[in-house]
Amino acid sequence: MRIFDPHIHMTSRTTDDYERMAAAGVRAVVEPAFWLGQPRTNVGSFTDYFDSLVGWEPFRAGQFGIRHHATIALNPKEANDRRCRPVLDELPRYLEKDGVVAVGEIGYDSMTPEEDDAFAAQLALAVAHDLPAMVHTPHRDKARGVERSLAVVAESGIAPERVVLDHLNEMTVKLVRDTGCWLGFSIYPDTKMSPPRMVELLKAYGTERVLVNSAADWGRSDPLLTRATGEAMLRAGFTDDDVDRVLWRNPVEFYGQSGRLDLTDDDLAEPTFAGNSILRGGS
Ligand SMILES: [Zn+2]
């Protein structure tokens, strides 16, 4: 089983995770820029983070044979902090970089006017830079958040097939499926979407334009839930080809729209556990 996790925050994960992911078949990931938990107070804090998403983290992933790409944005939550707003001016130079395959995570957290502005401005950046957009949907008041997100996406003029709405569930999938946007599902250990529920959704709606991710981050989460979903699909009678479509070809198709997806693996480093100080993180 080859797996492309289209939404995972490896910055928050350990090398144990990289090792287990590689063993489970994860060959590629996309890491969206997001909220780190601790509020950031200045722009430099973001640019150092963005630099690590396009520099250090791909290097770390490469040691485990995993190809790493990033999406860059001012996340919805921190869009509400005026100290963070100037991050928007820094985005264009990152959106030109090779390893950046979309603008994201953008969208809504609490649906404030500040979030409206940042969301619309960043969809405009996606259009200007000819990149897809990765839209986070709020965990609270989700249906209203999805409806409002779809309205902002439509207003922006970005092609719907270049947009994924993530963290969908049984309720919100109905709102998105006929819009032409991609359907993103984050599989969590004990709340929200689970592998068996995901299988039921795939039975009901098919495998087209569906992305399945672990969204693993600094909270309770599991980077192997992509694999668990693939196995649950097989047990439910889906074919290997169906699994490959959902867990590999769909994310390749979606993020491939950036023209920057690089999945050649000849220069990926073999897993290494040698005592090289740089490979250990310089410590
Ligand atoms: Zn995320």
Side-chain angles (χ1 to χ4, degrees), residues 15 18 25 33 58 78 85 101 128 207 275 282:
T15 49
Y18 270 128
E78 288 179 302
R85 301 282 293 188
V101 293
T207 57

Side-chain angles (χ1 to χ4, degrees), residues 7-9 32-35 105 134 136 166-167 186 188 213 215-217:
H7 180 166
I8 186 165
H9 301 287
F34 82 141
W35 179 52
E105 307 182 28
M134 190 274 192
H136 162 101
D166 210 348
H167 314 310
S186 302
Y188 295 99
N213 61 70
D217 58 13

Side-chain angles (χ1 to χ4, degrees), residues 32 89 94 100 128 174 221 257:
D89 302 327
Y94 285 97
V100 176
K174 298 187 183 78
S221 48
Q257 296 181 95

Side-chain angles (χ1 to χ4, degrees), residues 163-226:
V163 177
V164 58
L165 273 86
D166 210 348
H167 314 310
L168 297 182
N169 60 23
E170 290 83 352
M171 296 297 294
T172 49
V173 63
K174 298 187 183 78
L175 303 171
V176 184
R177 61 189 275 240
D178 296 325
T179 63
C181 294
W182 284 68
L183 312 167
F185 297 91
S186 302
I187 315 299
Y188 295 99
D190 41 28
T191 57
K192 307 167 193 161
M193 189 53 57
S194 65
R197 283 168 61 188
M198 189 65 232
V199 167
E200 291 308 312
L201 284 169
L202 288 162
K203 282 188 198 159
Y205 298 104
T207 57
E208 200 184 328
R209 281 187 291 119
V210 170
L211 300 182
V212 169
N213 61 70
S214 71
D217 58 13
W218 40 256
R220 189 153 188 277
S221 48
D222 181 350
L224 300 189
L225 285 175
T226 47

Side-chain angles (χ1 to χ4, degrees), residues 23-41:
V26 178
R27 303 283 296 138
V29 296
V30 166
E31 176 157 5
F34 82 141
W35 179 52
L36 292 176
Q38 175 69 34
R40 282 171 281 200
T41 59

